[in-house]
Amino acid sequence: MASSAGGSELFTNYEQDLHALTESIKVKIDKQIPSQSGEERKAIIRAAEREIDETDEILGQMEMEILNIPAPGRTRLQAKLRLYKSEGEKLKRDLRRATAAAPRSNDRNELFGDLNDSTSDLDASTMDQRQRLLSGTERLGQSSRRLEDSHRLALETEGIGINILGTLKGQRETIVRARDTLAEADSYIDKASRTLKGMARR
């Protein structure tokens, strides 16, 4: 098993590789993909997809490396890994949006016009529909999560209500037993009183 220092050093190396890949992917998403079209754009998209696959592999290696680090240092690294995974998921979403979005016109198209305007309009319309579909799917997922949360809350509330009813039932039984005991005591007192009165008359 690796020592804490050795494990942390290897984890740091993975972090450096991850940062480099992340920056490269961001450049492709923010600058290169929107400004290109045709085969060049497709090639950049494929390169970004390969880099995202590499980030997934590195995240997997980081997760395995954390298991070799003693508990005192493991918690901090696990928190960092969660952040890196979250950032990786965001990059995937950003790449999907950049892929679905229509490319910006270059200077030549702006000066001379696009000879394939009809095809470009059709592609833009298709991509716009795909973007709306992705947005709708994301909203549907959010609604589903909210519904699950509401259902869980309802179950928790039902459980609390059942516990309260059980407590009230137990208290009612206690009160009924106490009342029966008092009635029985009153009966004994009446009997004793009659006996005492009979003895006094005699």
Side-chain angles (χ1 to χ4, degrees), residues 15-107:
E15 282 184 300
Q16 294 172 353
D17 294 339
L18 188 65
H19 288 319
L21 279 171
T22 298
E23 289 304 315
S24 177
I25 294 169
K26 287 181 179 178
V27 169
K28 289 180 174 62
I29 292 174
D30 297 336
K31 297 180 180 180
Q32 296 179 358
I33 293 176
S35 64
Q36 296 296 331
S37 61
E39 291 302 319
E40 291 182 2
R41 188 170 188 269
K42 292 178 182 179
I44 295 172
I45 291 173
R46 287 194 295 269
E49 290 172 344
R50 286 194 298 270
E51 287 179 335
I52 284 181
D53 289 339
E54 289 182 42
T55 63
D56 287 339
E57 292 178 6
I58 291 176
L59 289 171
Q61 293 294 328
M62 294 169 77
E63 190 168 14
M64 293 296 295
E65 183 59 29
I66 287 176
L67 299 178
N68 295 327
I69 297 175
R74 187 182 303 166
T75 302
R76 178 178 59 85
L77 296 182
Q78 285 174 335
K80 294 179 71 173
L81 181 60
R82 284 193 294 270
L83 290 176
Y84 292 143
K85 286 184 176 181
S86 177
E87 185 176 4
E89 291 302 318
K90 182 179 182 301
L91 285 176
K92 292 176 184 178
R93 292 193 298 271
D94 291 344
L95 179 59
R96 285 196 294 268
R97 283 194 288 267
T99 302
R104 292 196 295 265
S105 298
N106 56 29
D107 293 339

Side-chain angles (χ1 to χ4, degrees), residues 188-202:
Y188 289 144
I189 291 172
D190 289 341
K191 289 179 181 179
S193 178
R194 288 195 296 273
T195 300
L196 290 174
K197 288 179 180 178
M199 293 173 62
R201 284 195 295 271
R202 290 196 297 269

Side-chain angles (χ1 to χ4, degrees), residues 146-160:
R146 285 195 295 268
L147 182 60
E148 290 175 358
D149 291 339
S150 299
H151 183 250
R152 183 170 59 253
L153 179 60
L155 290 177
E156 292 174 356
T157 304
E158 181 183 10
I160 293 172

Side-chain angles (χ1 to χ4, degrees), residues 119-138:
T119 303
S120 298
D121 290 343
L122 180 60
D123 290 343
S125 176
T126 301
M127 290 181 178
D128 187 54
Q129 290 177 355
R130 181 181 175 187
Q131 180 63 30
R132 288 198 297 270
L133 179 60
L134 290 173
S135 299
T137 302
E138 187 172 351

